[in-house]
Amino acid sequence: MSITVPALATPSAGAAFARTTVERRELGEHDVLLDIAYAGICHSDIHQARGEWGASIFPMVPGHEIAGVVRAVGDGVTKHAVGDRVGVGCFIDSCRECPNCLAGEEQFCERGNVATYNDRYADGAPTYGGYSTQIVVDENYVLGIPEGISLDVAAPLLCAGITTYSPLKHWGAGPGVKVAVVGMGGLGHLAVKIAHALGAEVTVLSHTLSKKEDGLRFGADHYETGDRDTLRRLRGSFDLIINTVSADLPVDAYLRTLALDGTMVFVGAPENKQQFAAFSLIGGRRSLAGSNIGGIRETQEMLDFCAKHGIGAEIETITADDVDKAYDRVVASDVRYRFVIDTATIPA
Ligand code: NAP
Ligand code: ZN
Ligand code: ZN
């Protein structure tokens, strides 16, 4: 029997959230039922709930930064047990057969993975995410949250953490590597902490100096603004730029802050097309790249890394009634540094 669980849904693009219920499927042989304790609010939730990335499925229950405790497991489950502290990130299934899935890069599944929300299961039923009290997920797409990180500060690691950890590792952030993090919001503040823990020299490029003290506390070595004069002064400086900005950027000015062979990686996914001049790349054999969350194996590696280094998100915990207000504050860059919904406040 499927179960009916409380959730927060938005009925149409940009509409207010309201309490509702959704169905979770009957526990299959390899399924895990988890009690969700906290769900982070990612800017991607806002892009999708407001229809900024094209067609969205409504009603929508967003949430792909999920942390909770296992309530029940199917007969064939071996990876998780009742009582385990676990997390679920941006996808809940993939084909498991294509070269990318086999390589542990399920985020690039050739047949398209099944996103935690705003997507459909194979039978066409919509997926509903973490702004809810319980969820059923195949054990292979459930992560273990190590002891030493509490569930509230762990939740944002399931998207913001892995989305920054993966490119930092892929492009070799470490001792002697100069990394710039553009935008210090949910993703950006974790990028700073992780890059610092990896041993890189970290510079934040923010559109304001108002978060400078925080940035230095998170491990940044330098904190600058992205204004024209500063970017000109910083030309040729960085080996790697992680761009987490959700809005339009003067891409050329940032590309020119890269040193020879440097790479600028977009993880921020703004609504509009971005522009750059070929000469900004040609001038220093530079690369412009993108990165999408991370695979299951790397997500577990990231959680273990964060536990070892004492890294959690900086959070503001909110109730179910505060979500609309929180969305506006995220868009206004007025969040320190991730909103996390206490899902105990969702039931009517
Ligand atoms: P966020 O908390 O809103 O942070 C974005 C930051 O960008 C802000 O804190 C702000 O930093 C900067 N910013 C915002 N508006 C700006 C503007 N108009 N001009 C200049 N800077 C501005 O968002 P997030 O949750 O970290 O997500 C960031 C982006 O990454 C979103 O587009 C999201 O959809 C995307 N994302 C991508 C992936 C992926 O796999 N690639 C995964 C998750 C999220 P400062 O105040 O420091 O300037
Ligand atoms: Zn996200
Ligand atoms: Zn696949």
Side-chain angles (χ1 to χ4, degrees):
M1 281 256 292
S2 65
I3 53 171
T4 305
V5 305
L8 278 182
T10 175
S12 60
F17 278 90
R19 289 179 166 86
T20 184
T21 58
V22 294
E23 294 296 307
R24 300 299 191 188
R25 69 168 178 256
E26 184 176 357
L27 211 59
E29 194 184 349
H30 293 287
D31 281 342
V32 172
L33 168 66
L34 60 123
D35 289 330
I36 301 171
Y38 298 98
I41 293 180
C42 178
H43 207 119
S44 301
D45 299 352
I46 302 173
H47 288 308
Q48 292 174 87
R50 294 186 171 177
E52 293 170 358
W53 285 351
S56 287
I57 302 167
F58 292 102
M60 184 189 296
V61 178
H64 59 208
E65 295 185 334
I66 299 171
V69 176
V70 176
R71 159 73 67 106
V73 296
D75 292 342
V77 170
T78 57
K79 294 186 171 150
H80 308 283
V82 172
D84 283 359
R85 292 151 26 93
V86 292
V88 174
C90 297
F91 54 90
I92 50 172
D93 209 344
S94 66
C95 84
R96 311 175 192 206
E97 291 171 353
C98 74
N100 295 348
C101 280
L102 292 175
E105 305 270 25
E106 303 91 345
Q107 74 277 31
F108 302 119
C109 174
E110 289 179 356
R111 289 180 220 162
N113 54 42
V114 181
T116 306
Y117 68 87
N118 193 25
D119 201 353
R120 294 188 187 279
Y121 294 103
D123 67 1
T127 59
Y128 295 118
Y131 298 8
S132 173
T133 57
Q134 292 183 314
I135 190 168
V136 174
V137 180
D138 183 288
E139 62 171 329
N140 293 299
Y141 298 83
V142 175
L143 288 306
I145 296 177
E147 290 304 318
I149 320 182
S150 59
L151 292 179
D152 51 357
V153 304
L157 300 177
L158 274 301
C159 174
I162 184 59
T163 299
T164 50
Y165 180 85
S166 185
L168 285 165
K169 290 286 285 193
H170 184 81
W171 277 278
V177 176
K178 292 185 176 173
V179 174
V181 175
V182 187
M184 202 175 76
L187 267 57
H189 90 286
L190 285 168
V192 171
K193 289 187 178 195
I194 293 169
H196 173 70
L198 288 167
E201 182 178 334
V202 184
T203 301
V204 175
L205 298 172
S206 171
H207 69 303
T208 137
L209 285 177
S210 63
K211 297 179 272 189
K212 179 172 180 178
E213 258 177 51
D214 290 345
L216 298 178
R217 184 159 50 83
F218 300 155
D221 301 283
H222 317 281
Y223 199 104
E224 307 267 10
T225 61
D227 67 79
R228 221 166 246 289
D229 291 343
T230 307
L231 294 183
R232 192 169 295 133
R233 170 163 58 77
L234 292 173
R235 277 185 185 174
S237 296
F238 305 115
D239 303 303
L240 177 62
I241 298 175
I242 305 290
N243 171 32
T244 74
V245 174
S246 49
D248 299 338
L249 267 196
V251 180
D252 289 302
Y254 284 92
L255 284 173
R256 291 189 183 120
T257 67
L258 287 171
L260 180 64
D261 289 328
T263 302
M264 177 172 182
V265 182
F266 267 67
V267 291
E271 184 177 1
N272 300 323
K273 284 188 181 173
Q274 304 296 294
Q275 291 198 323
F276 68 95
F279 283 110
S280 303
L281 296 177
I282 291 169
R285 199 163 51 200
R286 301 176 178 118
S287 301
L288 183 56
S291 187
N292 182 33
I293 42 178
I296 294 294
R297 188 173 57 222
E298 193 173 43
T299 303
Q300 190 63 58
E301 178 187 307
M302 175 277 306
L303 288 167
D304 296 343
F305 176 90
C306 287
K308 183 172 158 206
H309 291 274
I311 294 173
E314 306 289 317
I315 58 165
E316 294 188 46
T317 306
I318 61 168
T319 72
D321 297 311
D322 299 330
V323 172
D324 296 310
K325 231 181 320 162
Y327 272 31
D328 290 337
R329 285 188 51 199
V330 171
V331 172
S333 301
D334 177 27
V335 49
R336 302 289 185 274
Y337 282 84
R338 200 58 142 185
F339 288 115
V340 169
I341 303 167
D342 175 355
T343 59
T345 64
I346 293 177

